[in-house]
Amino acid sequence: GVNISVADATVAEGAAGNTAMNFVVSFDAPICGNTTVTYATADNLATTANSDYTAVTSTTLTFASGELSKTVTVNALGDAT
């Protein structure tokens, strides 16, 4: 079978503004035909309650036939703490 993975992303939060965190979603082999994946963010050490990042609700990512990777962006929110 074909496996899908999401690479970790790390950014410096900064004291203000938004910083893009880019996560690469990839297949380990080509897929025949269009394929969709649904994703969303979830709190862990970073939380939306603490204004650490902008939540992404259920979103569909579409891979074209043979496409191996796509980038998903989540905004980290800067603060002084």
Side-chain angles (χ1 to χ4, degrees):
V2 176
N3 297 303
I4 189 169
S5 63
V6 180
D8 290 337
T10 304
V11 296
E13 183 179 90
N18 297 335
T19 303
M21 291 181 31
N22 296 313
F23 295 87
V24 177
V25 180
S26 58
F27 288 106
D28 64 356
I31 300 286
C32 293
N34 290 347
T35 302
T36 59
V37 176
T38 302
Y39 70 94
T41 54
D43 289 349
N44 194 333
L45 296 176
T47 66
T48 55
N50 288 335
S51 299
D52 293 322
Y53 69 96
T54 302
V56 176
T57 57
S58 184
T59 303
T60 301
L61 191 63
T62 302
F63 289 82
S65 182
E67 191 171 22
L68 292 174
S69 66
K70 290 251 186 209
T71 300
V72 172
T73 301
V74 176
N75 285 319
L77 305 176
D79 61 28
T81 59

